[in-house]
Amino acid sequence: MSGDPTTRGAEPTTIGLSVVIPAYNEEERLKRAIPPIVRHLRAANRTFEIIVVDDGSQDGTSAVTKKLAESLPGLQLISYRPNRGKGSAVRAGMLAAVGDLVLFTDADQSTPIGELDQLLAKIEHGGYDMAIGSRAIAGAEVEETQGWHRVLAAKLFGGASRLLTVRGIADTQCGFKCMTREVAQKVFPQVTSDTAIFDIEMLAVAAREGYRIAELPVTWVHDQDTRIPYDLRRALRIWGELFRIRRAQKIGWPLQANTQPRRTAS
Ligand code: UDP
Ligand code: MG
């Protein structure tokens, strides 16, 4: 494990960007995901680290990461057992990250790493604290191969989460989000959800803290191969989780996300 995730990110360093990849049984997809990320960041002349968080995988996720790290010193591994869920993995990585800016992205690279540039621009020059990818606003290019029932379920859930938790964000669930380390260090200790809907809680906390959030249209190429299976039992559990998050965060009226930049933006 690469240091204690609860303290490592509090140390100042000279790393510009941390890329956090939650990984559950990702030995194959990681091999495909990491080289293009490295190429992109090197071409952009950024100092960076990549943190793979092995979320209790049963396959060779940790072994593959260690192997890749032999030729890539900036690649870190955090691993724990048993599997706890995407929210737990992202939180561990975000709290361990030492970059000035921190991105989390899915191992299947459904949002290609090239989309990072517009997110960084909003934070570095646009007066925002956080910039998140979106499949639900004008300009997004979604290669939609999810089944219609999953799309419908996601729409219903999105509507409910706006009524019950946080408003002002069209797509809370895109696995491609960037923020300053300072924001990550403030927000993630307050995120209690280990599940795939931790994003909603993260955005609710960020909204309550008054952070400025830019939602930007991205390309999304859906990968059918999923580590987050969906069925009726799981759907019910996710709805239950939404109400648990409301209680955990003591949310009455839904929190309004601040989507305007600071006026001091250059
Ligand atoms: N993931 C995780 N723990 C889990 C399930 C998923 O860390 O228990 C990670 C997974 O490895 C991937 C990301 O969460 O990096 C999103 O998973 P996936 O792409 O399979 O989800 P989908 O796009 O189908 O919703
Ligand atoms: Mg995916």
Side-chain angles (χ1 to χ4, degrees), residues 122-123 125-130 180 183 210-212 258-266:
K122 287 288 177 191
I123 302 174
H125 316 290
Y128 285 95
D129 305 300
M130 182 186 291
T180 64
V183 171
Y211 290 128
R212 315 264 171 161
N258 187 345
T259 54
Q260 299 302 311
R262 259 186 304 280
R263 274 197 293 166
T264 52
S266 56

Side-chain angles (χ1 to χ4, degrees), residues 29 106 108 110 220 222-223 225:
R29 297 200 290 192
D106 291 347
D108 58 10
S110 281
W220 176 272
H222 187 67
D223 184 348
D225 180 14

Side-chain angles (χ1 to χ4, degrees), residues 186-241:
K186 181 80 186 174
V187 169
F188 274 92
Q190 304 182 58
V191 174
T192 63
S193 178
D194 287 342
T195 71
I197 65 158
F198 77 96
D199 307 59
I200 290 175
E201 189 176 24
M202 190 273 281
L203 291 166
V205 171
R208 189 170 56 209
E209 296 288 344
Y211 290 128
R212 315 264 171 161
I213 305 171
E215 183 176 10
L216 303 168
V218 292
T219 300
W220 176 272
V221 184
H222 187 67
D223 184 348
Q224 296 280 15
D225 180 14
T226 181
R227 303 294 174 274
I228 306 175
Y230 192 76
D231 56 29
L232 189 60
R233 191 173 53 90
R234 290 189 175 93
L236 290 174
R237 203 184 296 154
I238 288 173
W239 279 84
E241 178 69 358

Side-chain angles (χ1 to χ4, degrees), residues 21 30 53 57 66 69 88 126 156 172 184 192 199 208 214 218 237:
I21 308 177
L30 275 179
V53 185
S57 300
K66 282 182 197 153
S88 164
L156 278 173
T172 58
T192 63
D199 307 59
R208 189 170 56 209
V218 292
R237 203 184 296 154

